[in-house]
Amino acid sequence: MQELSPKEKRQRFKEMAWSRVGETNKNRLGSVMVVDQYNGSQDVTVRFVEHGNTVKTTWNQFISGSVRNIYDKSKFGVGYIGEGKHTIRENDRYTDKFLTWSGMLMRCYSKKFQEDHPTYKDVTVCEEWHCFQTFADWYDENYYEVEGNRMHLDKDILVKGNRVYSPDTCAFVPQFINGLFIGRKALRGNLPIGIKTCSRYDNKYEVRCCDNKGGREYLGRFDSPSQAFEVYKEYKEQVIKDIAEEYKMQIPDNLYEAMLNYIVEVTD
């Protein structure tokens, strides 16, 4: 078989490249993609039809459907990366904003997580935050740190009882402040928050509450759950106000106001 001349090889490649431009396929998550440019098997430009975004890939990845689309809902069936300035990895590790976003989606849309944490059932994320880029913009505008504390993304201090993660309902909160608002319903049964039965003292109701120094304060024993709760409520609301004042200059104004106005209820 006669070997092709350099000119013939170039012509043959052009014909092959031309034949592959315009070919379509679907990636593994069902996004339709089309070859816009073919410069060899290792240099292929693919365009995703729905949003028009393009990506450099290889012919094998195109054929196998392993090309990733930034609009694919690859996180728990709802979250997608989107187009923008924010990257999900820096220096070979996931960024904190990406981990925060992923963790939020996991709490709301992972069945396995909710089996272990049933309080998150029926909690959702607003549609705009399904896009990582949009969430990351909000993250950059609202994230801050309090020395010595991990920061938590909280959904229900600003709006009590809220079940939707959104820009209007969320705030970053130091871990120890966030801990003030944990109800622990699974541990206390049918009793009001802060109350437990004390069988050693004729089934009186004992009250303990976290204080503003990170410890727990014993508040006494009472004859009825309602008496015990009123003592707990007064003490707990004052603790929250005291901590709000102490950290007023370090936390956002909306969190400070929410803490000052927070009302402890028997159903918490």
Side-chain angles (χ1 to χ4, degrees), residues 143-154 156-157 171-184 210-211 213-214 236 240 243 247 250-252 255 259:
Y143 184 77
Y144 66 99
E145 293 184 348
V146 172
E147 186 177 357
N149 275 271
R150 291 180 60 188
M151 303 302 292
H152 290 186
L153 178 66
D154 180 85
D156 50 17
I157 296 177
F172 284 106
V173 182
Q175 182 177 5
F176 83 99
I177 289 181
N178 201 34
L180 295 172
F181 300 91
I182 296 175
R184 296 184 175 89
C210 55
D211 60 26
K213 299 179 178 62
K236 182 64 173 285
I240 294 172
I243 292 176
Y247 286 88
Q250 299 182 61
I251 61 177
L255 176 58
M259 292 175 69

Side-chain angles (χ1 to χ4, degrees), residues 196-206 208 221:
K196 72 174 186 177
T197 303
C198 189
S199 58
R200 291 167 51 192
Y201 296 93
D202 299 324
N203 290 321
K204 287 184 179 292
Y205 298 91
E206 186 174 85
R208 293 180 185 272
R221 289 184 292 273

